[in-house]
Each structure stands twice: as C-alpha cells, then as structure tokens.
Amino acid sequence: MRPPPPAVLGLLLLLLSLPAPEAAKKPTPCALCQSLVDKFNQGMVDTAKKNFGGGNTAWEEKSLSKYEFSEIRLMEILEGLCDSSDFECNRMLEEQESHLEDWWLQLKQQFPDLFEWFCVSTLKLCCSPGTYGPNCLACPGGTQRPCSGNGHCSGDGSRQGDGSCKCHMGYHGALCTDCLDGYFSALRNDSHSVCTVCHEACKTCTGPTSRDCTECEVGWAREQDDCIDVDECAEDTQLCGENQYCKNVPSSYLCEDCDSTCVGCTDKGPDKCIECVPGYAKDESGQCSDIDECSQPEKPCARENENCYNTPGSFVCVCPDGYEETDDACVLTVGAEMDEKKPTPPLPHEDL
C-alpha cells in the first residue's frame, strides 16, 4: 500500500491537532437537583384536585383527601419529571427516587420545603440561599443580605465558590458598601449602603448636582463652585471639515454636514450658509435659494427655438417636440414641416 501524498498527510495531521468540539455544558449537581425539585413542585400543582369537580362535594372531599397523599399521585408526578431525552435528569431520578418516595409518604409534613430537605440536607448538593461552599458558610454580609444587597456572593446557594462578592455597578469593596468614582453615598448605616450616580459633569462628587462635584469630568471645567460644559466649538474653530459645522454637546462636540446648498456654514439649514453653491443665491431672508436661470432677462439657451427648463441649481435646454437639434438652432423636422404647410380645413357651418 502506497503512503498518502504529502498534502493529504499534512491535512490529516492538521485535523488531528484541532481541539475537539466542546461538549454541551452539563448542569452542576446543584442546578440539576434544583430543576428536579422545581418540576416536582410543578407536578404537585398540576395534579392538585385532578379528576375532581363532578358536583358531589362530600364524596370529592373524602376522595381528594385520600388522593392528596397517595402513591398514585406520586407516580403521576414522577412520570412527568424528566423528558425521555434528558439523560442527567433521568439518571438523578433513578438514583434518588427512593428519597422522593420517603419524603412524600413520611416526611412531607415535617419538612415541607422539598429543596431544603432533598438538595441541601439529604443529598448535600446545594446550600441554602445566602450560603456557599462545601460547608455552606454564610456569605459576606450575612445570609439575609449577602454582599450588603449590592452584589452577588460567589457560590451563593451551591457547594461551590469562594464567597467573594461581585459588586453591582457603582459599588466596590469586600462587602460592596463603598461607592466607585462617579457615584456618591446617598445612604449609609449599619445595614444599608446606597450609591447613586453623580451628575454627568462630575468625575467624583458628594451629591447629585454639578455644584456637588469634587472633581470635574473631562469636557467640563470649574467655574466658581460649579462644573460648566466646555464649548469646544468656541475654543477651536478648526475642529471640523471644510463643509461641516461644529455642534457642541455635553462634554464633547459633533461635526455635522452643512446643508447641500452651502459652501461653508455656521449651523444647520440653508439660512446658515457662509456662501452658496453655484446655481443658488441668498434671498432676502439670507437663505440660499435656487436661481431660476430661465426667467432671467438674458436667456441662457442660445439656440433658436430652444426651450429652457429650470432645475435645482441649474437648467436644461431642450428642443420642442417636432424639432431636431443642430449646432445653431432647433430645426423643424421634415414631417412636421409638411404638416405645418397643410391648409387648415374650414370650420363646419352651423345650421341656422
């Protein structure tokens, strides 16, 4: 057998060196347990008073009491927990079905919270909310308000994580009680810390207005006890292109295109032109308006019999129908000329 050509061999080596496609991420054991409990609780809702409502109230109350805690109802709930294609769910259900049966038949009244009994205490796959890690330690800030309510505790509710706080926007610190630059402390006591965003003029501040800035943001400048927007357009008239105007915006500026009738402008619109493009001229209001070349005393169309039509910023010269163009004039075509020479038929006499 001959060895494969070098090009084919190189391709095979390349394919072998590529990493295998990443398998679908499996849920964590805690997430899987939580999902199973959620489906079980939903199954309890779906089977509540099932097959009842026929009108015989006394019989229904007696029968319902038996059905509520029956194995028949349990089997109906268990059958709907996992899709046939969900391998992980079915595996956990097969391994832990006896625990669910024990809880349903013997422990439900004593431990009404299935998640706490099944996932936290029995299987030890999860932690109660506000705790984390293998030993379900309390998150920083306590189990009631982890991270002071201003962040997420790493591993919260699971047997994973290190308990560190990932703070929400505007907060930082081990307990998420301190304010980042651009935020100020609107409330702080032993149990709560609230950080609120500063005015846009402030880099740092002590309150909500531009007068509360301790340092102005870029694009703003201190004027007495206030941070005022810098008008970059007024400070530098060469910021924008030749046929653009500068528009000041808070902390910055924008370069906007002039009106199409302008050659240079100071603002938006045909009335803000410095000069007008050819074919336009400033009217009494100072706006660049189209010049009607065809209505001027000196006709722009030089050839004899030629018609002038005004267009925005210009005009066109066109021979009338029945005429053809030459260098010097619009000449009547032969057919049209003969029609013109035909005598006009007399008008029919009206009957008296």
Side-chain angles (χ1 to χ4, degrees), residues 47-50 52 59-69:
T47 57
K49 298 185 179 181
K50 186 176 180 182
F52 294 93
W59 178 85
E60 285 186 1
E61 288 181 355
K62 182 179 179 181
S63 300
L64 186 59
S65 177
K66 294 179 180 179
Y67 173 76
E68 184 178 2
F69 302 101

Side-chain angles (χ1 to χ4, degrees), residues 182-193:
Y183 294 79
F184 67 95
S185 180
L187 171 67
R188 184 158 186 171
N189 55 35
D190 292 340
S191 59
H192 288 74
S193 176

Side-chain angles (χ1 to χ4, degrees), residues 8-31:
V8 175
L9 184 60
L11 179 60
L12 289 172
L13 291 174
L14 176 62
L15 292 173
L16 290 173
S17 66
L18 292 174
E22 186 177 354
K25 190 174 181 180
K26 291 170 59 175
T28 64
C30 178

Side-chain angles (χ1 to χ4, degrees), residues 69-264:
F69 302 101
S70 68
E71 290 190 48
I72 294 175
R73 186 183 180 195
L74 172 62
M75 290 302 104
E76 290 177 357
I77 295 172
L78 293 177
E79 287 173 0
L81 288 186
C82 301
D83 295 334
S84 58
S85 59
D86 191 338
F87 172 78
E88 295 298 329
C89 179
N90 282 288
R91 181 183 60 79
M92 174 171 281
L93 178 59
E94 183 180 351
E95 293 175 354
Q96 310 302 339
E97 185 173 344
S98 60
H99 287 306
L100 293 173
E101 291 175 356
D102 290 342
W103 178 80
W104 178 265
L105 299 174
Q106 303 174 30
L107 304 170
K108 184 179 177 185
Q109 299 297 322
Q110 184 180 355
F111 303 102
D113 190 330
L114 178 58
F115 172 76
E116 282 288 330
W117 179 85
F118 185 61
C119 298
V120 178
S121 301
T122 303
L123 301 186
K124 300 187 185 304
L125 297 176
C126 302
C127 291
S128 301
T131 63
Y132 73 95
N135 298 316
C136 293
L137 301 177
C139 288
T143 59
Q144 298 303 309
R145 299 186 72 247
C147 304
S148 307
N150 300 324
H152 176 73
C153 168
S154 172
D156 190 349
S158 75
R159 299 276 170 162
Q160 302 176 338
D162 59 6
S164 60
C165 289
K166 184 178 180 181
C167 301
H168 298 326
M169 180 66 72
Y171 298 86
H172 74 113
L175 296 178
C176 300
T177 53
D178 301 324
C179 300
L180 287 171
D181 285 353
Y183 294 79
F184 67 95
S185 180
L187 171 67
R188 184 158 186 171
N189 55 35
D190 292 340
S191 59
H192 288 74
S193 176
V194 178
C195 296
T196 303
V197 67
C198 295
H199 188 276
E200 61 180 335
C202 307
K203 184 174 183 180
T204 56
C205 69
T206 57
T209 74
S210 59
R211 293 183 176 273
D212 297 313
C213 301
T214 54
E215 184 180 357
C216 296
E217 186 58 90
V218 175
W220 303 77
R222 176 74 65 181
E223 239 181 65
Q224 295 181 350
D225 61 347
D226 202 353
C227 284
I228 304 299
D229 177 47
V230 175
D231 188 347
E232 293 86 357
C233 300
E235 290 189 348
D236 186 352
T237 58
Q238 304 299 318
L239 289 173
C240 297
E242 184 176 323
N243 211 37
Q244 293 180 317
Y245 66 93
C246 183
K247 180 180 178 181
N248 187 58
V249 295
S251 78
S252 187
Y253 66 93
L254 298 173
C255 289
E256 304 279 1
D257 291 336
C258 295
D259 189 84
S260 60
T261 63
C262 298
V263 177

